Structure formats: structure tokens, C-alpha cells
Amino acid sequence: MLTDNHGRKINYLRLAVTDRCNLRCFYCMPEEGLNWLSRAQLMTYEEMLQTCALLVGMGIEKIRITGGEPFVRKDIMKLLTAISKLDGLKELTLTTNGVLTAPHVSELKQIGVKSVNLSLDTLDAGRFFSITKRDEFANVMATMDELLKHDIEVKINAVVMDGKNTQDIVPLVELTKELPVSVRFIEEMPFNGDGHVYSGIKWDYVRILDEIKTAYPGIAKLEDPQYSTSYNYQVPGYLGSVGIIAAYSRTFCGTCNRIRITPEGELKTCLYDNGVLNIKDQLRAGVSDSDLKTMLLTTFNTRAKDGWEAEQLRTENVRIHESMATIGG
Ligand code: SAM
Ligand code: SF4
């Protein structure tokens, strides 16, 4: 079992395969996009697979493919298929915006993907356009239909933004009446690639929950699964459930079981650190698996206690300029 210096189990890797995206979500990146990484800066699929195999051998049990948008990277299904075959991996999953995903759903099912996180901040096509700057609402809904048709669990990620989509909180909860989906409201974080000035959190988990409880006074608390980052609820009689993720308030650091690898191969042992080891550089310098393993163990043994400490330890200046697209969410 892989643990860190604070006794927390590490068994979950989030691998961001590209920084590129076909949407421009307000909370994630500026409308003109980011300063995209060149092909040479990206980890290759071979490097990703080698790293995943090593980490699975060390104790990683779950891998989530994310980005950027995973489906804008060429041949992503090849990588997913190869990762799905790793001995010892218990769960392969992905986070997608759903724009290009629908045609791949049956193949996802075939390779054993049981759950997909779909980002959807509104059920109104006009607001979808104003948040994402792209007219793709219908494609995202088609992906949701396709996932449900294939009996793949759907978790909807909705970032709550003051003045943008708070009127969608209740309709999104209402979606769980007829559909067996889990809608998770996420606090907006400062990782927007400087698309806008982050002016602090106006809708934290307490306020989001208040809004939901006002509309659904009878909503019941569910038991939160181990390592869950969300507080989970269900409206009695509804098929789906509702979660709130206190991503900005950082209430879940004490049980954090996850590490991240960015598209450039930077290992992050906390969302709020600015990288603790560049795996791609090590691989390209010809490091052996056993030396890389030692380096990885060193980073796990010097892991920040929580997101606040990681933020303080950042070597670059204090303000965060990153986009979630270069971190993977
Ligand atoms: N493109 C894919 C998608 O949107 O699902 C995967 C990558 S995206 C960066 C992963 C998750 O990060 C999404 O669910 C998105 O809503 C979330 N995210 C992005 N920027 C965020 C921010 N500033 N605050 C909170 N969540 C954010
Ligand atoms: Fe793209 Fe996902 Fe960022 Fe939206 S949240 S811009 S879909 S990477």
C-alpha cells in the first residue's frame, strides 16, 4: 500500500493528457485559449503508459483520464485501451466535457469504463453558450443519453459561478428526479488561466447547500463514500443524488488519496502545489524504473499536509496563474 508522510493512502492518479480544449469555460480559461503546449512538451502515450504501469505496480488502483479535453487528443481511445489492460488497475474512468464523447461510449463500455464525469454547468442552451463560448449543448446532452443508455454511471460536474449559473442549481437538482445521475456542485477555484480576475468565493459549499435546502427542505444526507470529495444528498424518491464539492474551501485534504500528472509530465501531490517532480524529463533523461520509483516515493514522503500548506510552499509567486486545463481538475 502506498502512503504519504501523513499516513494517507495514495491510490488514485488523475492523468491530464492535453491542455487543449474545444470549449472556453469562463472559470477555466480565457476566450482566446491558453498558450498551448507544443507536441514535444506533451508526454507521449508511451511515456504515460510507462508511468501508469509503474504507479499501478506501486499501489495506484484508480486512474482518471482528464485534460484539457481528453477527446481532442488524437487516438485517445488507444491510450485508454492500453491503460485498461494494466494488471492491478481496479478502475479506469474519465472526465470529459461531452462535446466529442458520444461516438466513443460503446467502446468505453467495452474496455470496462463504469463511470464518467461529465461537465455541465447549466441546462439552458443559451447560458451554456455564454459560459463555454461554444454552441455545443446538444452534443453534451447526447453524450449523457449515450452514457445512460450504456449503463455507465454519470456524475455531472457543475461549477457554481456568481452571476452566471446560480439559477441552474435547482433545475440541476431536479434532473436527479428522473435520471440516475449524480449532480455535483463545485466551488469555483482560482485556476482560470487568468481568464478573469478571481474575486474570491461567493458561492461556497455552505451557500450552495442553503440554496438547495431552501428548495428541498426534505433533502436527506447520504453516507459519503471513502475518499469522497463531495458531501452527498438525495431528495427522497428521486433516482439520482446531489453532491457538493468544497474545492476552494478544501475540507477534504485530511483524506486526500490522489496525485496528478499534468500534460507536461509534472507530478503534483496536491492540487495547490506547483509541481514536485517532472516525470517526462526524468524519462527522457533515461532514468531507470527503479530510480524513478525512488524519486516518486520521496515526493510522496514530503507531501504537504493540506492545500493551504501546498499553496504557501509554491516556489513561483503566490498568485495562481494556472488553468484547470493544465492541471486536469
Ligand atoms: N475538459 C474536461 C471537462 O471539462 O470535463 C476535463 C478537464 S476539466 C479541467 C476538469 C474539471 O475541472 C471540470 O469538471 C471543470 O468543471 C473543473 N474546473 C475547471 N476549472 C475550474 C475552476 N476554476 N474551479 C472549479 N472547477 C473547475
Ligand atoms: Fe475545457 Fe474542461 Fe476547461 Fe471547460 S473545464 S475549458 S471543457 S478543460
Side-chain angles (χ1 to χ4, degrees):
M1 182 167 101
L2 201 53
T3 51
D4 70 9
N5 46 321
H6 305 283
R8 292 171 296 194
K9 185 172 179 178
I10 298 178
N11 63 353
Y12 175 18
L13 165 68
R14 299 177 62 103
L15 176 64
V17 295
T18 178
D19 58 336
R20 293 181 192 234
C21 192
N22 43 7
L23 297 183
R24 293 290 182 274
C25 302
F26 168 81
Y27 47 79
C28 183
M29 61 174 75
E31 197 169 344
E32 63 274 17
L34 300 169
N35 197 3
W36 308 120
L37 297 168
S38 69
R39 202 173 174 73
Q41 287 172 298
L42 288 177
M43 268 187 130
T44 64
Y45 285 164
E46 290 71 24
E47 289 163 344
M48 288 180 193
L49 192 59
Q50 186 181 348
T51 306
C52 287
L54 184 67
L55 283 165
V56 169
M58 290 170 70
I60 291 293
E61 297 170 316
K62 169 175 170 181
I63 297 180
R64 174 178 300 280
I65 301 300
T66 174
E69 173 48 36
F71 286 95
V72 303
R73 186 146 178 190
K74 198 165 164 249
D75 293 333
I76 188 65
M77 286 308 303
K78 282 192 183 152
L79 177 73
L80 281 160
T81 306
I83 292 178
S84 74
K85 292 181 183 150
L86 288 177
D87 224 14
L89 184 69
K90 293 191 180 146
E91 191 182 339
L92 172 63
T93 180
L94 61 142
T95 302
T96 173
N97 62 27
V99 171
L100 300 170
T101 318
H104 301 284
V105 170
S106 63
E107 208 180 339
L108 290 175
K109 178 84 185 175
Q110 269 168 34
I111 64 166
V113 172
K114 294 196 176 60
S115 169
V116 167
N117 287 13
L118 184 65
S119 298
L120 179 63
D121 309 301
T122 174
L123 293 173
D124 177 273
R127 273 199 295 284
F128 182 93
F129 182 83
S130 89
I131 292 168
T132 67
K133 306 292 182 294
R134 299 288 186 271
D135 189 14
E136 297 285 1
F137 180 70
N139 284 326
V140 181
M141 295 308 276
T143 290
M144 181 162 71
D145 285 350
E146 208 54 26
L147 289 166
L148 291 172
K149 224 187 280 166
H150 284 82
D151 220 5
I152 294 179
E153 183 190 12
V154 177
K155 292 184 182 165
I156 293 176
N157 286 351
V159 178
V160 179
M161 293 158 282
D162 191 51
K164 297 252 176 219
N165 68 340
T166 54
Q167 64 275 61
D168 284 293
I169 294 176
V170 171
L172 280 164
V173 174
E174 209 42 31
L175 194 67
T176 68
K177 184 175 185 178
E178 309 287 350
L179 297 180
V181 296
S182 166
V183 172
R184 294 119 47 87
F185 297 102
I186 307 178
E187 289 179 349
E188 187 186 354
M189 289 182 276
F191 303 103
N192 60 46
D194 286 342
H196 62 276
V197 177
Y198 183 79
S199 52
I201 182 101
K202 297 211 177 65
W203 284 78
D204 67 357
Y205 68 104
V206 178
R207 187 169 176 194
I208 298 169
L209 184 58
D210 273 356
E211 181 83 1
I212 297 172
K213 281 191 166 166
T214 303
Y216 302 92
I219 196 163
K221 181 78 188 70
L222 297 176
E223 198 178 322
D224 300 323
Q226 198 184 18
Y227 309 120
S228 171
T229 51
S230 54
Y231 300 117
N232 300 293
Y233 299 85
Q234 189 169 38
V235 180
Y238 283 22
L239 286 182
S241 62
V242 174
I244 304 175
I245 302 183
Y248 181 81
S249 304
R250 288 164 247 188
T251 55
F252 41 66
C253 300
T255 56
C256 181
N257 63 338
R258 57 190 63 193
I259 55 172
R260 293 173 165 81
I261 298 178
T262 72
E264 278 187 284
E266 195 66 49
L267 173 73
K268 287 165 77 81
T269 53
C270 173
L271 176 58
Y272 284 86
D273 70 38
N274 63 336
V276 291
L277 174 72
N278 192 293
I279 296 174
K280 178 195 70 190
D281 291 350
Q282 294 300 334
L283 291 174
R284 291 186 189 174
V287 74
S288 68
D289 267 11
S290 87
D291 284 349
L292 184 54
K293 189 171 164 181
T294 307
M295 290 175 195
L296 290 166
L297 289 173
T298 305
T299 66
F300 301 152
N301 277 317
T302 48
R303 195 173 179 219
K305 145 171 129 279
D306 54 31
W308 305 103
E309 184 178 294
E311 198 173 349
Q312 259 173 12
L313 292 172
R314 287 173 77 93
T315 46
E316 57 169 61
N317 74 33
V318 206
R319 224 166 82 63
I320 290 168
H321 296 284
E322 284 158 291
S323 155
M324 266 300 189
T326 55
I327 305 174

